[in-house]
């Protein structure tokens, strides 16, 4: 393609460029069932323009996808979401959000490669969806924390009751969050980083 003199290649935005001070990068996966808020979390906390692969839901998913509780959802992630956040001047987290529909779960294997840990998002309206998600992480040996995402119409439960329902060991952090807000999403990531730090041999 020939570019005219008026054509401009702008390149990345200045805020998208990795800081020169960054010396370490960690891959983190945001995982959960369909419609639990993974794309929302990546978008709310990312310091760069997030990459999303959302597509309009079609009739192909009727009878295949379980959209109970999220009937109004019109788009879904078909590959992944991607974002980035600097925790310190030196440490950067690369965030990968997984697709939630079970027919796309085969993509998870690639997304988990090289991941240091995961944040599991849970919707209490469809708690049973989280069982397979947590089971897959345990099978792969990926450390994780569990964040109960806040939905206005979702029933509220005591965290101890939710821990028992999800059959979570005491050492796995379980907490409330609201993926719509940057501070809450950042707190979830910081909880994961502290959990990973505590799991290192020097602190185990």
């Amino acid at each position: 393609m020939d570019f005219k003199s008026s054509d401009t290649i702008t390149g990345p935005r200045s805020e998208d460029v990795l800081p020169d001070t960054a010396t370490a990068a960690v891959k983190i996966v945001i995982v959960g069932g369909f419609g639990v808020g993974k794309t929302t979390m990546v978008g709310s906390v990312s310091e760069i323009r997030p990459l999303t692969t959302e597509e309009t839901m079609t009739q192909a998913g009727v009878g295949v996808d379980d959209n109970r509780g999220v009937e109004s959802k019109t788009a879904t992630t078909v590959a992944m979401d991607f974002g980035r956040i600097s925790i310190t001047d030196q440490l950067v987290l690369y965030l990968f959000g997984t697709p939630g529909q079970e027919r796309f779960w085969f993509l998870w294997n690639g997304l988990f490669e090289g991941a240091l840990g995961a944040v599991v998002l849970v919707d209490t309206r469809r708690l049973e969806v989280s069982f397979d998600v947590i089971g897959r992480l345990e099978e792969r040996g990926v450390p994780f924390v569990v964040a109960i995402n806040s939905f206005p119409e979702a029933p509220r439960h005591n965290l101890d009751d939710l821990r028992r329902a999800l059959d979570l060991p005491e050492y796995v952090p379980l907490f409330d969050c609201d993926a719509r807000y940057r501070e809450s999403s950042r707190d979830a990531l910081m909880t994961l980083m502290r959990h990973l730090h505590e799991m290192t041999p020097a602190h185990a």
Side-chain angles (χ1 to χ4, degrees):
M1 175 180 178
D2 294 328
F3 290 94
K4 300 178 181 178
S5 58
S6 60
D7 290 328
T8 302
I9 302 176
T10 59
R13 302 179 305 170
S14 59
E15 59 266 38
D16 293 344
V17 177
L18 189 66
D20 293 335
T21 56
T23 58
V26 173
K27 180 180 181 180
I28 299 298
V29 178
I30 313 298
V31 65
F34 177 52
V36 297
K38 301 178 296 296
T39 299
T40 300
M41 173 171 277
V42 173
S44 72
V45 79
S46 180
E47 64 195 15
I48 63 173
R49 182 188 294 118
L51 167 68
T52 63
T53 57
E54 283 203 317
E55 295 291 343
T56 301
M57 296 174 63
T58 66
Q59 290 298 313
V62 176
V64 177
D65 301 323
D66 183 2
N67 66 341
R68 288 173 299 164
V70 287
E71 291 85 357
S72 61
K73 189 172 173 63
T74 59
T76 185
T77 298
V78 297
M80 69 173 188
D81 302 307
F82 175 77
R84 188 190 78 204
I85 179 173
S86 299
I87 297 300
T88 66
D89 289 341
Q90 294 78 35
L91 177 61
V92 173
L93 304 186
Y94 289 114
L95 311 176
F96 292 79
T98 64
Q101 292 164 291
E102 289 191 36
R103 57 193 168 112
F104 296 127
W105 282 13
F106 68 92
L107 296 170
W108 287 19
N109 291 335
L111 292 175
F112 281 133
E113 287 296 327
L116 197 63
V119 174
V120 178
L121 280 177
V122 172
D123 179 353
T124 58
R125 296 171 298 179
R126 295 171 296 129
L127 202 60
E128 70 282 356
V129 176
S130 304
F131 299 152
D132 284 341
V133 174
I134 291 172
R136 282 172 172 253
L137 290 170
E138 291 175 336
E139 288 175 6
R140 295 185 65 91
V142 178
F144 63 92
V145 299
V146 178
I148 307 300
N149 198 11
S150 176
F151 291 92
E153 63 277 20
R156 305 292 295 177
H157 297 285
N158 179 280
L159 288 179
D160 289 336
D161 292 338
L162 287 172
R163 182 178 295 278
R164 285 190 291 270
L166 294 169
D167 196 24
L168 285 179
E170 285 296 328
Y171 67 84
V172 175
L174 173 68
F175 51 92
D176 292 311
C177 82
D178 192 327
R180 297 171 297 179
Y181 299 105
R182 176 179 175 82
E183 183 175 330
S184 185
S185 294
R186 190 178 190 278
D187 286 346
L189 294 170
M190 292 302 297
T191 299
L192 173 61
M193 296 306 293
R194 286 192 294 269
H195 180 53
L196 294 173
H197 180 68
E198 291 168 357
M199 292 182 66
T200 59
H203 295 83

